[in-house]
Amino acid sequence: MLASLLTLPAKWPTPLRWGVLILGSSLLALLLGQAHLSAALLLGPMIVAIAMAGLGSGVAIPRVVFIIAQSVVGMMMASKLPPELFPEIARDWPIFAAGILSTVLGAISLGWLLSRTGMLPGSTAIWGSSPGAATVMTLMSESYGADMRLVAMMQYLRVACCAIAATVVVKLFGIAPSHTVSLAPSVVPHSALEIAKTLTLAIGAGLIGWRLKVPGGGLLTPLIAGVIYNLGGLGVIALPQPVLALSYAIVGWGIGMRFSHEVLRHAARVLPLVLGMIVTLIALCAGFAALLVHFAGIEPVTAYLATSPGGADSVAIIAAGTQVDIPFVMAMQIGRFLLVLIAGPAMARYLSRGARS
């Protein structure tokens, strides 16, 4: 009996599946965290869920639970938009416009070319190439007809490659570590009332967006509500680390459990093509950074990190450990995220027209 359970995951009882999922997710997230991967709490559970789904031992994640987890992620994104961000962009808007548009257009163009190969559905290729926050792009893609599983593969592979490339660039230029500033997460005490208000707003807005069938409403509605709540001075966004960790895990499980053996086989076939696209995009963005250095006098590593097509969170952590212009880097990263968030759906629909599905 024990031997059959070990050799045939598809026959595991549900309690055993949940136990393996939780234990495996915790261990892998810990290992990825030790490797300083910023999305470890999301990637660990997602990788374990993908493996279990591919072996036929998946579990069902209730839709409403997945929506609530998205709502917390949306509220977390709202907390990353500080009031001083917008004056920073307004002061140097021509530089920001050039940097943001060049990266977005380069990524979207490569996504369009990828869609024309017929290896990936048009909307999936466009969303997978979108240089916004990886989690947000992945969650929004499903509402616009893309295959969220393949989008997740493309997005997180790009984030990993960009994080490695950015670390190498910092080492090559010999930038000294910073001992005066840090963007690493810190433990800030919040009152129970602040936490309760934040979670009530996040979950309420997410469920309303879902019920009203707003595209990506489980994520976008809390994000908009959180921005109004935070920047409007109505309160402080308070999200304890355990709540964030659980939400990341649920989102990772929800994405990973959608994979199947057939999807994994197709992902393996397109992997070389996707890797080639990512390397090309990194090289393009390095070229854009060189233009910023030459024409705007931006310090090279600052320019590279600002135009890096990786996730804003991983870039923030790398920037925080070096002596670069962190406000410039984060303003460029978040400005690009907002542009993709606003214009991404329309661009994906337009560019994927006529592409093979």
Side-chain angles (χ1 to χ4, degrees):
M1 177 64 179
L2 180 60
S4 64
L5 288 177
L6 292 175
T7 56
L8 295 174
K11 293 186 177 182
W12 288 353
T14 300
L16 177 59
R17 295 184 186 194
W18 275 107
V20 171
L21 179 64
I22 293 171
L23 180 60
S25 298
S26 302
L27 291 176
L28 187 54
L30 181 62
L31 289 175
L32 293 177
Q34 291 295 318
H36 305 290
L37 195 61
S38 61
L41 294 175
L42 177 78
L43 289 178
M46 186 172 72
I47 292 170
V48 173
I50 290 172
M52 292 183 64
L55 293 171
S57 58
V59 297
I61 307 296
R63 182 66 176 171
V64 65
V65 174
F66 188 59
I67 293 296
I68 290 174
Q70 287 187 48
S71 302
V72 175
V73 173
M75 190 62 65
M76 181 275 295
M77 292 301 303
S79 71
K80 300 296 183 182
L81 299 175
E84 59 270 18
L85 171 68
F86 300 100
E88 173 81 13
I89 294 176
R91 278 196 304 271
D92 299 313
W93 70 266
I95 296 175
F96 283 106
I100 290 169
L101 288 174
S102 60
T103 303
V104 171
L105 292 177
I108 294 299
S109 299
L110 288 173
W112 179 80
L113 290 174
L114 187 60
S115 72
R116 297 300 163 183
T117 65
M119 296 287 288
L120 287 169
S123 58
T124 298
I126 302 300
W127 279 104
S129 306
S130 297
T135 306
V136 179
M137 296 300 104
T138 300
L139 293 175
M140 284 182 62
S141 66
E142 185 184 31
S143 299
Y144 293 93
D147 189 326
M148 187 167 68
R149 301 162 297 188
L150 294 177
V151 170
M153 182 270 290
M154 295 174 66
Q155 286 283 344
Y156 291 111
L157 184 60
R158 190 189 73 240
V159 168
C161 291
C162 289
I164 294 170
T167 304
V168 170
V169 167
V170 170
K171 294 292 185 183
L172 287 177
F173 277 84
I175 300 296
S178 171
H179 301 288
T180 60
V181 64
S182 176
L183 287 179
S186 58
V187 180
V188 179
H190 294 293
S191 70
L193 179 60
E194 289 173 334
I195 295 172
K197 287 165 62 178
T198 299
L199 292 178
T200 300
L201 178 62
I203 295 171
L207 292 178
I208 289 172
W210 176 44
R211 287 295 184 184
L212 294 178
K213 302 188 184 304
V214 176
L219 182 86
L220 285 182
T221 313
L223 174 59
I224 294 170
V227 168
I228 296 172
Y229 181 74
N230 189 28
L231 301 188
L234 302 176
V236 177
I237 295 180
L239 292 170
Q241 288 299 318
V243 173
L244 282 172
L246 179 60
S247 299
Y248 289 157
I250 293 172
V251 168
W253 293 338
I255 295 171
M257 287 300 169
R258 297 174 187 232
F259 280 79
S260 63
H261 180 70
E262 290 75 18
V263 173
L264 290 172
R265 190 167 54 189
H266 181 64
R269 284 203 303 269
V270 302
L271 183 61
L273 192 61
V274 172
L275 272 175
M277 183 270 293
I278 291 171
V279 172
T280 303
L281 179 59
I282 291 174
L284 277 175
C285 291
F288 299 146
L291 293 176
L292 285 178
V293 172
H294 181 74
F295 291 105
I298 306 298
E299 188 272 327
V301 177
T302 296
Y304 180 82
L305 292 177
T307 57
S308 172
D313 51 357
S314 59
V315 172
I317 292 174
I318 294 170
T322 57
Q323 293 180 353
V324 297
D325 186 347
I326 294 177
F328 182 88
V329 171
M330 293 315 301
M332 187 83 79
Q333 288 283 336
I334 296 179
R336 189 183 70 215
F337 162 71
L338 292 176
L339 174 63
V340 174
L341 190 66
I342 295 168
M347 288 191 296
R349 279 197 301 268
Y350 178 76
L351 292 174
S352 61
R353 287 188 306 180
R356 294 173 60 186
S357 58

